Amino acid sequence: MTQDTRLRTNINKEIEELKPWFHNLHLPDSTQTAPDHWLGDFPMFKWKELSPFIPQDLSGWKVLDVGCNAGFYTFELAKRGADVLGIDVDTHYLKQAEWAAEKMGLQKKTRFKQMQVYDLAKEKENFDLIWFMGVLYHLRYPMLAMDILAEKNSDMMVFQTLSMPGKEAETDTWDRPINEREDLLKDGWPKMAFIEHKFSGDPTNWWLPNHAGIEAMLRSCGYKITGRPGHEIYIARKDAENPSCLHTWNKSEYQSAIQEDWKAEVGNKIKK
Ligand SMILES: C[S@@+](CC[C@H](N)C(=O)[O-])C[C@H]1O[C@@H](n2cnc3c(N)ncnc32)[C@H](O)[C@@H]1O
C-alpha cells in the first residue's frame, strides 16, 4: 500500500465514523464527505450561484456563519481571507466542522462554537458579514433571531430560507383601515405560513415566509436588498436611511426578550 492510498483509506474511515453528513465537503485530497447527497453536490451548487456576489478578498472581514453545520460556507469564506466564527446547536455537526478545519489547514481562520442563535445577544462581537442560510425556518422565534443578528451586523447579510411559493410583492403595505383586510390575502402581502406539525417530515420546520415577507423582514431589521443570486437567496446590506424598527419603535420589547434591563432605560426616559 502506498503512502497516498494509506492516507486516503484513513480519511474515508474517519468520514464514515463522522456520518451522517449534510454538507458534501470537498477535501484538499479531493475526497468528498457526502458524494451521494440526495440534493446533489450540496451546498457546492448553491455556493457557485452565490460566490460572484461575495467580495473575492475578505481579508480583515469578521464573519459569522449561523447554523454552520459541517462548515462548508465557513471554509469558503475563510479561503477568501475572512476570520469566521461558525455556530450551531448540534455538536455532531460541529465535530465534523472541527475535523474538516484541520484537514483543510484552516484552523487559524475558523472557530466553531455550540450556540443557539439567540445566545448571540449576549456576545460582544460584531460581524461585517453574517451568513444566515437554512436556519430561519427552523426557529420558533424568527423575528427575535433576525433582530439579534441585525444588532450584531455592521454591513452585509446573506440570507436563505425555505419559502412559500410565489414571487409577488405588494409595494404599498404602509397602512389600512381596521375593517379593510382583503389586501392581506393578496399573494404579494408579506406573510409566513406556520407549520404546526411537520414540513418535509421535519418537526423543526416552524415558519415558511413568502418572498414579500422575507424582503419586509429584512427591511424591518434595517437592511436593503442588493442582490438575488438564486431561488430563496438574498444579499442584504445595512441601510443608513432605514434603521431597524428596534431603534425607532419597540426597543424595550427586544430588551425584555434578550433579558436586558429595559426598565432602567424606559424609567430614565420617563424621569426626563
Ligand atoms: C438546514 S441546515 C443549514 C446548514 C447551512 N447553514 C446551509 O445552509 O447549508 C440548518 C442548520 O442550523 C442548525 N440550527 C438549527 N436551529 C438552530 C439554532 N436555533 N441555533 C443555531 N443553529 C441552529 C442545525 O443544527 C443545522 O446545522
Side-chain angles (χ1 to χ4, degrees):
M1 208 189 263
T2 65
Q3 172 86 347
D4 261 9
T5 328
R6 199 170 305 119
L7 283 177
R8 178 82 53 112
T9 313
N10 282 345
I11 286 197
N12 281 330
K13 194 166 158 268
E14 288 167 16
I15 289 172
E16 189 64 28
E17 283 164 3
L18 286 165
K19 265 182 168 177
W21 292 85
F22 181 60
H23 278 172
N24 184 34
L25 303 177
H26 293 229
L27 300 176
D29 71 344
S30 78
T31 319
Q32 297 182 23
T33 55
D36 303 321
H37 200 295
W38 60 285
L39 287 168
D41 190 1
F42 180 85
M44 181 62 95
F45 69 87
K46 274 199 192 289
W47 171 246
K48 282 186 179 156
E49 284 180 318
L50 247 171
S51 65
F53 289 76
I54 312 299
Q56 279 299 327
D57 184 4
L58 291 174
S59 309
W61 285 53
K62 286 181 70 181
V63 176
L64 172 69
D65 183 0
V66 182
C68 61
N69 202 270
F72 179 95
Y73 295 116
T74 303
F75 299 132
E76 291 305 325
L77 298 165
K79 283 182 209 163
R80 291 192 179 189
D83 291 297
V84 193
L85 170 64
I87 67 157
D88 206 291
V89 275
D90 194 325
T91 52
H92 170 76
Y93 292 128
L94 291 170
K95 208 168 147 196
Q96 293 178 341
E98 272 159 7
W99 174 85
E102 198 233 304
K103 293 286 173 261
M104 297 198 193
L106 287 170
Q107 300 103 309
K108 290 210 173 106
K109 301 298 286 176
T110 57
R111 288 174 295 147
F112 295 99
K113 268 195 198 174
Q114 185 187 25
M115 277 173 91
Q116 275 282 352
V117 61
Y118 314 104
D119 293 332
L120 286 160
K122 297 190 186 72
E123 292 287 308
K124 300 253 178 307
E125 274 185 271
N126 251 279
F127 302 91
D128 304 291
L129 165 61
I130 292 188
W131 203 266
F132 190 37
M133 291 190 60
V135 182
L136 182 103
Y137 53 93
H138 287 302
L139 304 176
R140 214 165 143 93
Y141 311 100
M143 248 357 258
L144 178 59
M146 294 281 291
D147 279 338
I148 290 171
L149 292 177
E151 287 297 282
K152 299 286 159 197
N153 189 196
S154 54
D155 183 359
M156 184 175 187
M157 176 178 279
V158 175
F159 178 94
Q160 186 268 338
T161 180
L162 281 186
S163 63
M164 293 168 69
K167 292 182 183 158
E168 301 78 4
E170 286 290 308
T171 47
D172 170 16
T173 54
W174 287 105
D175 194 8
R176 296 291 185 280
I178 195 162
N179 289 324
E180 287 181 24
R181 301 179 196 183
E182 295 73 24
D183 283 354
L184 278 63
L185 295 173
K186 287 185 175 167
D187 290 340
W189 193 273
K191 294 184 186 63
M192 289 222 263
F194 178 63
I195 312 295
E196 186 183 355
H197 303 294
K198 287 181 189 175
F199 187 77
S200 185
D202 185 345
T204 77
N205 288 331
W206 291 109
W207 294 98
L208 267 62
N210 63 358
H211 163 66
I214 294 166
E215 293 202 327
M217 283 192 293
L218 284 165
R219 281 194 302 270
S220 180
C221 291
Y223 291 95
K224 63 179 168 222
I225 289 100
T226 58
R228 294 284 317 277
H231 179 55
E232 300 179 334
I233 308 177
Y234 299 75
I235 309 285
R237 308 290 291 237
K238 278 294 178 77
D239 183 358
E241 315 270 292
N242 165 45
S244 161
C245 288
L246 269 192
H247 299 285
T248 56
W249 169 236
N250 58 350
K251 183 124 189 242
S252 69
E253 183 181 351
Y254 172 72
Q255 288 173 311
S256 173
I258 62 165
Q259 299 192 338
E260 224 173 58
D261 182 7
W262 61 273
K263 280 190 187 154
E265 208 171 296
V266 171
N268 287 341
K269 273 192 198 141
I270 290 167
K271 268 181 229 151
K272 279 180 206 160

